[in-house]
Amino acid sequence: MTLTTTKTLILASSSPRRQELIRFLQLPFVVQASDADETTDAGLTPSQIVEELSRRKALAVLARLKADDSAPEDGVVIGSDTIVVWQGEVLGKPQDAEDAFRMLRALQGTEHEVYSGLACIELTADSAPNGEAASTEASVTRLPGAVYAKSADRLTGSCRMTVGHSVTKVGMKPLTDEQIRNYIRTGEPMDKAGAYGIQGLGSTLIQKIDGDYFTVVGLPMYLLSEMLTAHGIRVP
């Protein structure tokens, strides 16, 4: 496979943190926020949740680009999703300050896991004729860190998609209720899974991590680089 640095990355996220990390790759990119439904069926495992939502976000942006006829001729759409899991409970973004307090009070003094999923969809493959989906044929191989699949559906036509996830264990220091309230008043927890941001003031809450730091931030860079290489993009 010939690797290139000219394909455009389309980040299906409005997250400033993910945009900052994408810039590190020094590759051409654009941002298209996804409006995908983020509800999931009960019974899904954490890895299934983040992989499904990442795939859904990437497909939603791809569908919009195709509808607007604005998709780059050669590029890759990147969807990502992050959740925190504490004792089997999935913690997304807090609904309000009291929800953030509930989450942080549970997490303080204990360990939890952070799951980040990734989905990459290539734009170079031909769509099925007349907007009809080709029959779905998936060839899936489990490789380190990701599932590699070639598939088809009504939104994308025949396409090549890679989906995977990364998980990191995080230990948070003991916190008093006053410390938790003070942190919530900064506003930082309100748009973050688990109600804290490890790359900001929330870094002062974290005692240790076991795994990839960028998984906790929300975009596992090592996994993304492997997936982009599989799509013919050289990183670095």
Side-chain angles (χ1 to χ4, degrees), residues 126-200:
D126 293 333
S127 299
N130 301 320
E132 293 298 320
S135 59
T136 301
E137 297 181 358
S139 175
V140 182
T141 305
R142 174 64 67 178
L143 296 176
V147 173
Y148 290 78
K150 185 177 289 186
S151 63
D153 63 45
R154 191 167 297 277
L155 284 175
T156 64
S158 179
C159 69
R160 185 159 186 268
M161 180 189 301
T162 58
V163 182
H165 74 277
S166 176
V167 58
T168 295
K169 183 175 289 186
V170 181
M172 186 176 288
K173 72 181 183 182
L175 298 169
T176 65
D177 287 358
E178 182 181 6
Q179 287 175 308
I180 294 172
R181 296 286 187 196
N182 288 340
Y183 178 54
I184 291 171
R185 276 194 286 270
T186 69
E188 184 176 271
M190 303 313 299
D191 64 341
K192 297 171 180 64
Y196 74 92
I198 194 171
Q199 74 285 355

